[in-house]
Amino acid sequence: MRNEAGRQMKNVLVTGANGFIGKELIRVLANNGYSVRATVRRAESALPSGDTLTWFVTNDLANQENFSMLNGVDAVVQLAGRAHVLKETATDPLAVFRMVNTAGTLNLARQAAAVGVRRFVFISSIGVNGAFTRAGECFTEQSPPAPHNPYAISKWEAEQGLLEISRETGIEVVILRPPLIYGPGVKANFLQLLKWVESGWPLPLGGIQNRRSFLFLGNFVDAIRLCIEHPAAAGQTFLVDDGEPVSTPELIRAVAYAMGRSARLLAVPGGVLGLAGALLGKRAAVAQLTGSLLIDSSAIRSRLGWTPPYSLQQGLDATVAALKRA
């Protein structure tokens, strides 16, 4: 596939390549004929290089001045950044997020534009739109931004800076905002949910009537690969999900099905759950389990012709299978 200038986009730089998304992305790209340059922060995190994969160490994107790995690159996928921190220790979290996610991204983009990189794909977050949606509503690309925490603010500011760099230099920017991503190797709250279901203990979530959008890792990597190449992706912001929103009880039943067992759910009022979360210091985790976050990903489907290659259940099956192997 070629971009608007007719140039094949086969030389790709992937930053943060040893992360949850990066590992799968570089595997898929290398297996599909791309020449991949992958960056990590520490040399010991790199995998062996090969004919289609070369590793570089970049530990400070915000202040680095020589990005030699950009020479000859057609497209950059910017995954590197500071993600959600469960136990924040920084005295000024926003400043740290801005340094890594905003300044680091914009420095890399400027350097990429300077050496003739054609396209810059930025992995942002649905948090730019907000933390929750109200009943009957969903986020779209036209929804007003409402970043709700330092992480989301840093992503939003990076988006705005990238669009300005694009206007100044002509580099094609593509922005992707995913919701919670699950798949083999998932961690944090989703992994905890898997372990709860696996334990067989009854979960007090049977009465929750929310709707949440999720995104399987395999689907996201497929969408990223399309956005590297597709001419119509240039200059666009896309929301991406599986297209199968579910309630928390429905998600638990699907996970239990993948594990070959029955879900054990108790109907506890949401107010009681909220109070318990506040008392236990788990307010955010409870809100994620009980609240709604619904997105409309029809834009990427209609403009790029993208269809998720995996269903929600297939994604959960793969996630559970990986958990059992581990």
Side-chain angles (χ1 to χ4, degrees), residues 212-223:
R212 294 194 72 90
S213 296
F214 295 93
L215 179 58
F216 175 50
L217 178 61
N219 289 337
F220 193 33
V221 166
D222 187 72

Side-chain angles (χ1 to χ4, degrees), residues 5 59 63 90 215 220 226 267 307:
N59 56 15
N63 296 301
L215 179 58
F220 193 33
L226 182 61
T307 300

Side-chain angles (χ1 to χ4, degrees), residues 193-236:
L193 179 65
L194 295 178
K195 290 182 176 181
W196 282 342
V197 177
E198 187 179 39
S199 72
W201 283 94
L203 296 174
L205 302 169
I208 304 302
Q209 298 180 7
N210 61 344
R211 304 296 289 171
R212 294 194 72 90
S213 296
F214 295 93
L215 179 58
F216 175 50
L217 178 61
N219 289 337
F220 193 33
V221 166
D222 187 72
I224 294 172
R225 185 163 73 95
L226 182 61
C227 287
I228 291 171
E229 291 275 0
H230 202 297
Q236 299 297 317

Side-chain angles (χ1 to χ4, degrees), residues 53-73:
L53 178 61
T54 307
W55 289 88
F56 295 84
V57 177
T58 57
N59 56 15
D60 186 3
L61 291 180
N63 296 301
Q64 188 167 339
E65 296 180 359
N66 180 20
F67 288 91
S68 59
M69 70 281 194
L70 286 168
N71 294 324
V73 165

Side-chain angles (χ1 to χ4, degrees), residues 33-113:
Y34 291 81
S35 177
V36 181
R37 301 177 189 183
T39 75
V40 291
R41 294 185 61 189
R42 294 179 296 274
E44 60 268 24
S45 301
L47 298 173
S49 295
D51 294 338
T52 59
L53 178 61
T54 307
W55 289 88
F56 295 84
V57 177
T58 57
N59 56 15
D60 186 3
L61 291 180
N63 296 301
Q64 188 167 339
E65 296 180 359
N66 180 20
F67 288 91
S68 59
M69 70 281 194
L70 286 168
N71 294 324
V73 165
D74 301 309
V76 172
V77 180
Q78 165 63 332
L79 285 166
R82 189 175 197 252
H84 300 284
V85 180
L86 295 180
K87 295 182 179 180
E88 183 62 76
T89 58
T91 55
D92 187 353
L94 180 56
V96 181
F97 276 112
R98 279 175 167 158
M99 177 59 67
V100 178
N101 295 345
T102 309
T105 295
L106 300 185
N107 185 37
L108 178 63
R110 291 189 190 97
Q111 303 260 6

Side-chain angles (χ1 to χ4, degrees), residues 14-293:
V14 179
T15 66
N18 63 328
F20 174 53
I21 302 171
K23 288 178 182 178
E24 180 64 9
L25 178 60
I26 62 173
R27 184 191 70 80
V28 169
L29 291 178
N31 288 344
N32 281 275
Y34 291 81
S35 177
V36 181
R37 301 177 189 183
T39 75
V40 291
R41 294 185 61 189
R42 294 179 296 274
E44 60 268 24
S45 301
L47 298 173
S49 295
D51 294 338
T52 59
L53 178 61
T54 307
W55 289 88
F56 295 84
V57 177
T58 57
N59 56 15
D60 186 3
L61 291 180
N63 296 301
Q64 188 167 339
E65 296 180 359
N66 180 20
F67 288 91
S68 59
M69 70 281 194
L70 286 168
N71 294 324
V73 165
D74 301 309
V76 172
V77 180
Q78 165 63 332
L79 285 166
R82 189 175 197 252
H84 300 284
V85 180
L86 295 180
K87 295 182 179 180
E88 183 62 76
T89 58
T91 55
D92 187 353
L94 180 56
V96 181
F97 276 112
R98 279 175 167 158
M99 177 59 67
V100 178
N101 295 345
T102 309
T105 295
L106 300 185
N107 185 37
L108 178 63
R110 291 189 190 97
Q111 303 260 6
V115 298
V117 173
R118 183 70 179 174
R119 181 166 292 186
F120 195 98
V121 181
F122 178 57
I123 309 305
S124 186
S125 168
I126 195 61
V128 167
N129 291 100
F132 303 102
T133 51
R134 292 179 292 185
E137 295 183 352
C138 64
F139 289 138
T140 71
E141 290 79 3
Q142 288 71 47
S143 298
H148 63 286
N149 59 23
Y151 169 75
I153 292 170
S154 69
K155 289 287 190 177
W156 168 240
E157 292 176 351
E159 288 187 16
Q160 299 309 293
L162 286 173
L163 295 177
E164 181 62 29
I165 292 172
S166 178
R167 287 189 289 268
E168 294 173 354
T169 67
I171 191 172
E172 299 172 348
V173 168
V174 186
I175 297 168
L176 299 177
R177 294 180 190 163
L180 190 152
I181 302 167
Y182 66 98
V186 69
K187 300 184 185 302
N189 290 339
F190 202 93
L191 175 60
Q192 186 60 57
L193 179 65
L194 295 178
K195 290 182 176 181
W196 282 342
V197 177
E198 187 179 39
S199 72
W201 283 94
L203 296 174
L205 302 169
I208 304 302
Q209 298 180 7
N210 61 344
R211 304 296 289 171
R212 294 194 72 90
S213 296
F214 295 93
L215 179 58
F216 175 50
L217 178 61
N219 289 337
F220 193 33
V221 166
D222 187 72
I224 294 172
R225 185 163 73 95
L226 182 61
C227 287
I228 291 171
E229 291 275 0
H230 202 297
Q236 299 297 317
T237 297
F238 292 120
L239 276 57
V240 192
D241 77 330
D242 290 336
E244 300 180 61
V246 291
S247 66
T248 296
E250 289 170 339
L251 176 65
I252 291 171
R253 293 187 186 101
V255 169
Y257 180 82
M259 292 179 174
R261 61 178 63 199
S262 299
R264 303 185 66 188
L265 290 163
L266 302 175
V268 175
V272 175
L273 291 174
L275 178 60
L279 293 174
L280 296 173
K282 300 290 185 180
R283 189 190 302 270
V286 171
Q288 191 175 50
L289 288 168
T290 59
S292 293
L293 197 161

